[in-house]
Amino acid sequence: MGALLALPAAAGPRLEADQVLDMLQKIQGRWRSECRPADAGINGSYQQTRLVVSYTHFTFSTVVYANEKCLTERSRWQAKYRFVLGSPVETRDGKMAFAIDFSSPEDPSGMGNLYPQNIVHYDSGVLHLGRAPALPSQERLQNLDYALPFTR
């Protein structure tokens, strides 16, 4: 009887490991955001963020364009981050996401706009990261950034 009671507890970590591996496989590859008005400070420009997930690295490339169709490139910057995909977490709006921790091997002190204790959510071919809080915090993000979806 004791072995039957131990089975569900033993299955828990295995199920979680399978979920993490499944999510890791789903997020691999090339992603891009829509063409959108550029962040503050770049008047009259538009931008698109491209993302490549390869094994344990996220490479972000932000391309700034002169027009709303994102055809005439003005500038580009790139940043590469290592990541560790963690346990499933529930977002504030009830979606299932995964904890994801980013670090920058190029500049460990500066993460740019990327929040280090982040979350990642994948659903039907759309990838979302967490939305950074208005005030800096040491806690993991709990809200998804619906303003910046990534698609293939």
Side-chain angles (χ1 to χ4, degrees):
M1 184 85 155
L4 292 176
L5 294 175
L7 183 59
R14 179 67 186 156
L15 177 61
E16 184 177 299
D18 289 346
Q19 290 174 313
V20 170
L21 182 58
D22 182 54
M23 180 61 151
L24 186 60
Q25 291 171 341
K26 286 178 179 175
I27 67 174
Q28 297 294 308
R30 296 181 178 278
W31 300 87
R32 68 181 180 281
S33 71
E34 295 178 351
C35 182
R36 64 192 190 285
D39 293 336
I42 311 176
N43 294 332
S45 295
Y46 292 82
Q47 70 184 27
Q48 182 180 52
T49 303
R50 297 174 186 164
L51 170 62
V52 177
V53 182
S54 179
Y55 300 102
T56 58
H57 287 87
F58 265 57
T59 302
F60 290 89
S61 299
T62 298
V63 183
V64 177
Y65 295 93
N67 57 27
E68 63 190 34
K69 294 185 180 183
C70 287
L71 297 175
T72 307
E73 185 176 322
R74 281 188 180 169
S75 63
R76 140 188 332 245
W77 65 266
Q78 184 172 321
K80 187 173 185 177
Y81 301 95
R82 291 184 61 81
F83 74 91
V84 175
L85 192 62
S87 300
V89 295
E90 188 173 333
T91 64
R92 287 221 170 119
D93 61 354
K95 303 244 190 231
M96 182 57 67
F98 286 80
I100 187 167
D101 294 330
F102 291 103
S103 63
S104 174
E106 298 164 1
D107 181 11
S109 63
M111 292 290 291
N113 293 333
L114 186 65
Y115 199 79
Q117 291 181 306
N118 218 307
I119 55 176
V120 62
H121 172 74
Y122 172 87
D123 186 33
S124 301
V126 179
L127 183 77
H128 289 97
L129 293 173
R131 187 180 74 221
L135 299 173
S137 171
Q138 296 299 319
E139 297 180 13
R140 180 162 310 283
L141 296 181
Q142 297 178 349
N143 295 305
L144 293 170
D145 186 353
Y146 293 110
L148 187 62
F150 291 93
T151 58
R152 297 206 189 255

